Amino acid sequence: MLTIVTEEAPAAVGPYAQAIKAGPFIFVSGQLPLDPATGRLAGNDAREQAAQCIRNVAAVLRAAGAGLENVVKTTVFLTNISDFAAVNEAYAAFFGAHKPARAAVQVAALPRNAAIEIEAIAFVSRGGGEEPLG
């Protein structure tokens, strides 16, 4: 296993890694909509915050030698499920035709009073190309 750390994404707000690479998988910890340069919340609404979360996920993946195209599963945590449509707009802008599996759940609260948090699992083959999981 390999711990992934990058200054291009916000530092973890607790005792955990930004990501762990285990075999061909990269497990990206939940990314809050924090600006990595300031450590402050980025964006005034759920769409803008979702975009920052995804930028942070992408930065962590880059540090691990991968990209959003390698994402196979995400989990989106929302403090208000009514923001689902706005989050989908930002999500679609980043992922385009690539559509990883996803779950979205409403939670009571998130750290730093964020409206959203996104975690991801990515798959990269040992040889650099895609290979079947089964």
Side-chain angles (χ1 to χ4, degrees):
M1 289 192 299
L2 176 66
T3 300
I4 307 300
V5 179
T6 179
E7 293 181 5
E8 299 298 314
V13 298
Y16 57 88
Q18 288 171 316
I20 296 290
K21 185 170 184 184
F25 291 98
I26 303 164
F27 298 88
V28 180
S29 294
Q31 294 296 304
L32 294 169
L34 300 177
D35 180 323
T38 66
R40 295 185 178 163
L41 281 177
N44 296 318
D45 61 30
R47 186 183 192 287
E48 292 173 357
Q49 288 192 14
Q52 185 63 50
C53 289
I54 298 167
R55 283 192 286 273
N56 293 342
V57 166
V60 173
L61 289 171
R62 276 193 306 276
L68 292 175
E69 68 277 6
N70 297 102
V71 174
V72 294
K73 170 76 166 72
T74 63
T75 304
V76 178
F77 302 95
L78 297 162
T79 58
N80 186 344
I81 201 70
S82 297
D83 290 331
F84 187 73
V87 169
N88 278 340
E89 289 177 23
Y91 196 91
F94 281 89
F95 284 99
H98 176 57
K99 294 183 179 15
R102 183 180 81 176
V105 295
Q106 181 171 313
V107 296
L110 290 166
R112 306 277 181 93
N113 293 317
I116 183 171
E117 180 175 0
I118 299 175
E119 67 178 18
I121 301 170
F123 173 81
V124 289
S125 72
R126 287 180 169 83
E130 285 200 28
E131 62 187 50
L133 293 176

